[in-house]
């Protein structure tokens, strides 16, 4: 996994304001200098998620989640940290350098794109001009799929002969073996072995993959005749990330803007066939399920209306069921301007899009697209179809299964409307359906495929609730002290010694404190957002801990002093209790008893002085 320098991470942070990033996804309301929204990570009717433009941190007081700019993007779009940095860098138009594993020097991104461009031209020339048997087979395959004529020129289709032909060609153009391997158009010898650098693709029809701007960044290859794998895509590279790229987007974005709709299919040939038939607002994923990054990319062009077009075969049916994971509050009227309309179509008679348009024409396909159902309705219908609605048992199971589709948006008016519709179809009382909907446990938005499980924050709350009152108060002090220090690093510097001396009752809080002290030592000028990012990199739960306190700026220093004193007093009280317990042990010697007694007296005097100095806010 690639990484980034602290300097690049900071440049990305400076180029992206947290308030702007959140506002693109969730409606915000300003209260004073802060902004509030309904938390996108759990269902709620009133805003409890606070975004602080000064510290560039956010925290939800409903579910307890929180963090910085990167944490918000990671949670909302199910990204790892490097992916979030990369996406935000693109959003902020910041050039960054990937480190570790890939080692991409600054500026070499364009070099890799040049390799892909030259590779695409080489493959295309082989397809169009080569007299080899393999090239002839590739032309015959494309012609048999209706992709002959001008199609190969329009889509820059090609043929990969293999046998080192590409490597030799790229070497003649001045590219190094290392650059070819980094662009994933060639492979070096296996680790521990010797051998030449080889072409990655051989004896395959080649589909160049372009980014939204039209730059070639990767390839997909379809084997000619028999062989496995049938389709072979480029692996992840510094310029190609499957979860973000859509095949055909460079050609489809204009039609998407004109029609306000994006159509998503699953294959290269489907995209080409539909474009050539006149349906030009079509793209395909690249061997992955549709991701939230894909949806975000499509929303830039399609006016937030996206239609899934699924094959009619069993694989298409399974893909249709997987699409239900994208049901969330962005689909409801309550989401306002950020609403995304997701619709779905399953083609009849086991046909894929290319075969359908070839047999029945573009108008028939457009009719299918025009009749696309909202994804919610689509999912409900598919669930109801599984049961015998003529029996009481079937209707009971159907009600529960269909209502489960609405779980991610259970508190919305839209969900209640659908619940009433479901009740009518299974002959249940509307009140019973709405009551049953209310009892459904909503899954976490950013873990759509998993059964609902407690988050680390929720688990901590459960454990916290079971503790005695005194211990709960102690842990509140520890957590709030860490949070205030993280959000005010200058104050943290003043209390670094106190933080180092605390006898932490929570091992987790102790780990977080250790990270904060290390960061302060390495960079005394660290900002609040940097502090949270660094801590979360070491301790995943740190972000929600360090954003939980929200003191007023003018009260932070006095609060930190109060909490530091409170923790020190608690530690002193516990130390005295421990010594008193030793004194009550009948097995200790007289000398030990005298030592413990004098220590207790001395510590009690210190404790009295500490309490006298301790001032309430």
């Amino acid at each position: 996994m690639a990484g980034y320098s602290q300097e690049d991470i900071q440049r990305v942070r400076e180029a992206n304001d947290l308030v702007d990033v959140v506002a693109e996804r969730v409606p915000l309301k300003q209260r004073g200098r802060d902004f509030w929204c309904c938390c996108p990570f759990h269902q709620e009717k009133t805003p409890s998620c606070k975004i602080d433009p000064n510290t560039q941190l956010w925290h939800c007081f409903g579910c307890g989640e929180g963090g910085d700019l990167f944490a918000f993007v990671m949670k909302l779009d199910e990204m790892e940290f490097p992916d979030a940095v990369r996406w935000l860098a693109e959003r902020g138009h910041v050039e960054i350098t990937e480190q570790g594993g890939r080692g991409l020097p600054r500026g070499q991104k364009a070099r890799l794109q040049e390799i892909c461009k030259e590779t695409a031209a080489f493959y295309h020339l082989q397809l169009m001009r080569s007299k080899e048997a393999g090239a002839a087979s590739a032309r015959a395959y494309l012609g048999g799929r209706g992709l002959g004529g001008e199609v190969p020129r329009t889509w820059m289709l090609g043929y990969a002969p293999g046998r080192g032909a590409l490597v030799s060609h790229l070497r003649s153009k001045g590219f190094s073996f290392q650059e070819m391997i980094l662009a994933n158009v060639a492979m070096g010898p296996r680790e521990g072995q010797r051998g030449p650098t080889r072409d990655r693709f051989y004896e395959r029809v080649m589909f160049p993959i372009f980014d939204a701007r039209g730059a070639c960044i990767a390839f997909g290859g379809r084997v000619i005749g028999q062989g496995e794998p049938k389709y072979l895509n480029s692996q992840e590279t510094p310029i190609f990330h499957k979860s973000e790229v859509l095949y055909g987007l460079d050609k489809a974005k204009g039609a998407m803007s004109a029609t306000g709709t994006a159509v998503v299919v699953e294959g290269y040939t489907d995209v080409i066939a539909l474009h050539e038939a006149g349906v030009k607002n079509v793209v395909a994923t690249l061997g992955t399920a549709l991701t939230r990054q894909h949806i975000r990319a499509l929303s830039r062009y399609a006016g937030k209306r996206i239609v899934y077009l699924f094959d009619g075969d069993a694989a298409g049916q399974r893909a249709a069921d997987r699409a239900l994971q994208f049901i969330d509050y962005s689909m409801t009227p309550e989401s306002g301007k950020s609403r995304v309309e997701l619709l779905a179509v399953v083609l009849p008679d086991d046909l894929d899009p290319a075969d359908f348009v070839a047999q029945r024409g573009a108008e028939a396909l457009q009719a299918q697209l025009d009749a696309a159902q909202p994804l919610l309705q689509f999912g409900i219908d598919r669930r109801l179809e599984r049961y015998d609605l003529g029996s009481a048992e079937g209707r009971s199971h159907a009600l529960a299964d269909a209502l489960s589709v609405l779980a991610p948006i259970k508190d919305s008016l839209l969900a209640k409307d659908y619940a009433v519709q479901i009740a009518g179809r299974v002959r249940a009382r509307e009140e019973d359906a709405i009551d049953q909907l209310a009892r459904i446990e909503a899954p976490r938005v950013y873990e759509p495929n998993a059964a609902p499980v407690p988050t680390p924050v929720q688990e901590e709350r459960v454990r916290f609730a079971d503790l005695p009152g005194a211990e709960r108060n102690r842990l509140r002090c520890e957590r709030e002290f860490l949070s205030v220090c993280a959000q005010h690093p200058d104050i943290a510097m003043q209390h670094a010694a106190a933080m180092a001396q605390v006898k932490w009752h929570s091992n987790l809080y102790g780990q977080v404190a250790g990270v904060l002290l290390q960061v302060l030592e390495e960079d005394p000028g660290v900002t609040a957002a940097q502090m949270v990012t660094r801590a979360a990199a070491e301790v995943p739960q740190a972000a929600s801990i360090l954003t939980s306190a929200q003191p007023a700026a003018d009260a932070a220093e006095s609060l930190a002093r109060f909490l530091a004193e409170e923790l020190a007093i608690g530690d002193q009280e516990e130390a005295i209790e421990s010594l008193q317990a030793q004194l009550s042990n009948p097995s200790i010697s007289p000398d030990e008893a005298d030592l413990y007694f004098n220590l207790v007296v001395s510590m009690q005097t210190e404790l009295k002085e500490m309490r006298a100095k301790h001032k309430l806010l």
Side-chain angles (χ1 to χ4, degrees):
M1 176 64 72
Y4 300 95
S5 68
Q6 290 300 320
E7 291 77 12
D8 276 354
I9 291 172
Q10 181 58 22
R11 291 194 306 116
V12 171
R13 191 195 307 280
E14 291 170 353
N16 293 273
D17 182 76
L18 175 63
V19 174
D20 292 338
V21 172
V22 176
E24 291 174 359
R25 318 300 291 279
V26 186
L28 294 181
K29 293 182 179 179
Q30 187 168 5
R31 298 179 188 169
R33 70 177 183 85
D34 298 320
F35 293 82
W36 293 77
C37 66
C38 288
C39 178
F41 306 114
H42 79 287
Q43 281 68 55
E44 61 181 12
K45 297 179 181 179
T46 56
S48 64
C49 185
K50 176 184 175 184
I51 298 92
D52 188 329
N54 184 43
T55 62
Q56 291 289 293
L57 298 173
W58 60 275
H59 186 85
C60 175
F61 295 93
C63 67
E65 297 289 351
D68 64 346
L69 171 76
F70 301 107
F72 182 82
V73 174
M74 289 164 64
K75 289 178 183 295
L76 194 61
D77 291 320
E78 305 168 30
M79 291 183 178
E80 297 296 328
F81 180 74
D83 297 322
V85 174
R86 184 168 57 246
W87 182 79
L88 287 165
E90 292 177 358
R91 180 188 182 277
H93 307 291
V94 177
E95 187 75 21
I96 57 177
T97 301
E98 296 189 16
Q99 301 175 336
R102 292 177 182 149
L104 183 67
R106 190 180 303 278
Q108 195 174 347
K109 179 178 180 180
R111 182 77 171 170
L112 297 185
Q113 289 179 345
E114 282 298 317
I115 290 179
C116 290
K117 179 181 178 181
E118 188 62 42
T119 298
F122 174 79
Y123 286 153
H124 182 63
L125 185 64
Q126 296 299 306
L127 177 70
M128 305 302 288
R129 300 284 181 84
S130 176
K131 297 180 180 180
E132 290 187 5
S137 297
R139 291 190 288 269
Y141 167 78
L142 292 172
R145 293 299 306 265
L147 304 178
E150 291 298 313
V151 171
R153 292 185 178 86
T154 303
W155 293 85
M156 200 67 178
L157 304 184
Y159 167 69
R163 299 183 297 278
L166 175 67
V167 169
S168 296
H169 174 74
L170 293 177
R171 284 293 287 166
S172 73
K173 296 294 183 179
F175 296 107
S176 69
F177 293 136
Q178 183 180 8
E179 288 174 323
M180 298 178 210
I181 294 169
L182 194 59
N184 203 231
V185 299
M187 298 184 296
R190 291 183 176 86
E191 188 174 354
Q193 298 182 4
R194 292 185 175 183
T197 299
R198 300 163 293 144
D199 294 0
R200 172 167 173 75
F201 299 96
Y202 57 92
E203 297 181 1
R204 288 179 180 270
V205 174
M206 299 303 297
F207 299 83
I209 298 167
F210 300 89
D211 65 16
R213 295 179 295 274
C216 184
I217 55 175
F219 297 88
R222 204 278 188 194
V223 70
I224 301 172
Q226 301 300 314
E228 292 295 335
K230 181 183 291 187
Y231 285 96
L232 180 65
N233 290 325
S234 293
Q235 296 176 350
E236 295 270 315
T237 74
I239 61 172
F240 173 57
H241 309 287
K242 294 180 183 179
S243 63
E244 302 170 8
V245 178
L246 290 152
Y247 181 73
L249 182 57
D250 57 313
K251 288 182 168 59
K253 60 185 182 183
M256 288 179 184
S257 298
T259 62
T261 300
V263 179
V264 182
V265 297
E266 294 193 318
Y268 305 123
T269 55
D270 291 327
V271 172
I272 297 172
L274 268 55
H275 274 254
E276 294 301 314
V279 185
K280 297 182 179 296
N281 55 337
V282 183
V283 295
T285 55
L286 300 169
T288 68
L290 196 70
T291 66
R292 295 190 188 280
Q293 295 98 296
H294 289 143
I295 291 177
R296 182 177 60 241
L298 293 173
S299 296
R300 296 171 188 160
Y301 306 105
K304 301 185 178 178
R305 185 175 187 270
I306 300 169
V307 180
Y308 300 85
L309 182 57
F310 299 110
D311 296 2
D313 60 13
Q317 300 283 336
R318 291 192 296 272
D321 285 330
R322 289 196 303 272
L324 299 181
Q325 68 179 279
F326 291 108
I327 292 173
D328 63 19
Y329 268 80
S330 68
M331 301 170 61
T332 66
E334 291 94 324
S335 62
K337 293 181 180 180
S338 62
R339 184 180 183 185
V340 177
E341 186 179 8
L342 299 178
L343 304 103
V345 174
V346 174
L347 292 175
D349 303 324
D350 293 345
L351 293 173
D352 64 29
D355 289 337
F356 185 94
V357 77
Q359 295 179 22
R360 306 188 186 184
E363 290 186 6
L365 180 68
Q366 189 60 54
Q368 292 281 334
L369 296 174
D370 292 341
Q373 289 181 300
L375 186 59
L376 278 166
Q377 185 68 63
F378 174 82
I380 289 168
D381 289 348
R382 289 182 63 78
R383 297 295 174 89
L384 293 177
E385 288 168 1
R386 298 174 181 176
Y387 302 95
D388 175 15
L389 300 185
S391 69
E393 292 80 3
R395 290 193 297 274
S396 177
H397 290 304
L399 175 63
D401 202 4
L403 288 175
S404 69
V405 174
L406 303 172
I409 60 167
K410 54 178 286 188
D411 294 322
S412 68
L413 293 175
L414 185 64
K416 293 178 174 61
D417 284 343
Y418 272 116
V420 170
Q421 291 183 30
I422 294 169
R425 295 176 66 177
V426 300
R427 289 184 279 172
R429 294 197 313 166
E430 294 178 1
E431 304 82 34
D432 292 341
I434 291 175
D435 288 345
Q436 190 166 334
L437 174 67
R439 293 194 299 271
I440 293 175
E441 184 175 358
R444 295 170 70 192
V445 171
Y446 45 92
E447 290 186 354
N449 285 328
V453 295
T455 67
V457 173
Q458 291 168 335
E459 290 176 345
E460 183 185 4
R461 286 182 170 184
V462 170
R463 292 192 297 269
F464 186 83
D466 292 336
L467 295 173
E471 183 64 8
R472 289 202 300 271
N473 288 334
R474 167 71 188 206
L475 292 178
R476 284 195 190 97
C477 285
E478 291 184 4
R479 185 185 183 97
E480 194 166 6
F481 180 57
L482 291 172
S483 184
V484 174
C485 286
Q487 294 179 52
H488 300 274
D490 55 330
I491 295 175
M493 288 293 294
Q494 300 172 26
H495 296 284
M499 193 186 307
Q501 295 169 4
V502 171
K503 305 298 188 293
W504 301 97
H505 284 210
S506 164
N507 290 333
L508 176 61
Y509 296 168
Q511 293 174 27
V512 173
V515 175
L516 297 189
L517 289 169
Q518 181 180 350
V519 173
L520 288 170
E521 182 178 354
E522 294 174 356
D523 183 8
V526 66
T527 66
Q530 289 173 327
M531 183 85 87
V532 173
T533 299
R534 295 280 297 277
E538 299 291 333
V539 184
Q541 301 95 317
S544 59
I545 295 168
L546 299 179
T547 56
S548 59
Q550 298 288 329
D554 56 357
E557 186 172 355
S558 58
L559 177 58
R561 183 176 65 252
F562 169 79
L563 292 169
E565 292 174 355
E566 191 77 5
L567 293 172
I569 288 171
D571 289 344
Q572 186 82 341
E573 290 172 342
E574 289 173 6
I576 291 172
E577 290 176 4
S578 177
L579 287 172
Q580 289 174 332
Q582 295 281 3
L583 278 171
S584 64
N585 187 344
S587 64
I588 66 171
S589 66
D591 290 341
E592 289 176 321
D594 288 342
L595 175 63
Y596 291 155
F597 178 80
N598 291 331
L599 282 173
V600 168
V601 172
S602 174
M603 293 177 69
Q604 285 177 330
T605 301
E606 291 178 4
L607 178 61
K608 185 176 181 180
E609 294 173 354
M610 292 169 68
R611 286 173 172 164
K613 293 179 181 179
H614 188 41
K615 298 179 181 179
L616 296 176
L617 290 177

